[in-house]
Amino acid sequence: MNTTIKTPQQLADDARQTATDAIDTTRAYAQNAVNAAGEKVRELRHDAEPAVEQLAARVQQAVQRGLDAASTTSARAQRRLEQAADVTGKYIADQPMRSVLIAAAAGAAITALIVLASRRGDDY
């Protein structure tokens, strides 16, 4: 069993990296969707009338607005996560004994839930 204890800074860094990875993944997924939609539109242009081009432009605008909204929301979420990590780190630094007791209680509760869940699985 790994008993490595992370510092508040390491926890904050892990949280920031997770948020950054989520933002990058979301952007890549959205960009792939935009690229795929654009490619499909180019294929259809040869056979479609001008109304389809207008529709395609609207779809691309909607996708771009979605990308912008996702980027804004992701950035906002990352800032809030960083603030939470900073507050948590400060609390741990100010209240080290209480923090250890809370962590121990949380670990015990999670262990109890896992044990309970594994026993329920055996009952069936």
Side-chain angles (χ1 to χ4, degrees), residues 27-94:
R27 284 184 182 153
Y29 180 81
Q31 190 61 50
N32 287 340
V34 168
N35 292 342
E39 184 61 35
K40 190 65 173 174
V41 167
R42 283 187 287 279
E43 290 174 10
L44 293 174
R45 279 187 183 159
H46 297 290
D47 301 329
E49 50 190 74
V52 174
E53 290 184 30
Q54 290 175 349
L55 180 61
R58 288 180 187 163
V59 168
Q60 285 182 330
Q61 288 172 352
V63 169
Q64 189 59 48
R65 283 193 303 269
L67 279 171
D68 293 343
S71 180
T72 299
T73 302
S74 296
R76 189 178 307 133
Q78 186 174 7
R79 282 193 306 274
R80 287 185 180 167
L81 189 58
E82 288 172 359
Q83 289 171 349
D86 291 342
V87 168
T88 301
K90 184 177 180 340
Y91 179 83
I92 290 170
D94 292 345

